[in-house]
Amino acid sequence: MFKFLEEKFVPIAAKIGTQRHLIAVRDGFVTLMPLTILGSFAVLINNLPIKAYQNLMDKIWPHDVWTQWGGNMWNATFGFMSILIAFTVAYHLARGYNKDGLSAGVISVATYLTFGTFGEGGLSGMTTGTAGIFISRRL
């Protein structure tokens, strides 16, 4: 069984794993991993379902203050993740072709903002947040 995998599957997987478009998508998401972790901590701070923790936070700061902070952190990370993905994937793909990554990233964001928000009435959470990632990967 393992010999079959080694002889048939591994060469195919290695060929797919070296495909530059998939590498660009992987590297684009990995570049944003620190922001994803930071946003996850903000969500955890806001939504930790331990009553004693929530009571403690309410004693330290007013409820609206500390939950607004977590909301701001979410907006700064997950809230416009698709725009960042559009930039980082294009950047890494251009670098894979030994081209200027910064220009490719800027053009990708401009294209995303032009076509990704078409029909939505402008920028919204549906186009800039995590729901817009599928749009940004296609541009």
Side-chain angles (χ1 to χ4, degrees):
M1 175 68 179
F2 292 113
K3 189 164 183 82
F4 169 77
L5 288 174
E6 186 178 328
E7 292 174 357
K8 303 290 182 186
F9 182 72
V10 171
I12 294 170
K15 195 168 202 166
I16 291 171
T18 58
Q19 207 282 333
R20 66 178 73 183
H21 293 86
L22 294 177
I23 290 172
V25 171
R26 179 200 66 198
D27 291 346
F29 276 91
V30 167
T31 300
L32 296 177
M33 189 61 61
L35 286 179
T36 305
I37 293 169
L38 184 64
S40 299
F41 278 126
V43 170
L44 181 66
I45 288 169
N46 266 12
N47 298 308
L48 194 62
I50 300 172
K51 196 66 172 163
Y53 165 78
Q54 292 176 359
N55 291 337
L56 175 68
M57 293 299 283
D58 286 340
K59 286 180 183 176
I60 297 173
W61 296 288
H63 184 78
D64 294 344
V65 172
W66 68 272
T67 55
Q68 181 63 43
W69 179 83
N72 290 345
M73 291 295 293
W74 187 92
N75 286 330
T77 55
F78 293 114
F80 72 109
M81 184 68 70
S82 62
I83 294 173
L84 296 173
I85 290 291
F87 180 86
T88 57
V89 170
Y91 175 85
H92 287 290
L93 184 59
R95 300 296 293 174
Y97 282 106
N98 294 321
K99 302 294 181 192
D100 182 24
L102 183 60
S103 296
V106 169
I107 290 169
S108 177
V109 168
T111 304
Y112 175 76
L113 291 175
T114 301
F115 296 108
T117 60
F118 183 73
E120 293 289 327
L123 295 176
S124 70
M126 290 300 293
T127 56
T128 61
T130 53
I133 289 176
F134 297 106
I135 297 170
S136 65
R137 282 195 7 226
R138 293 177 186 232
L139 295 177

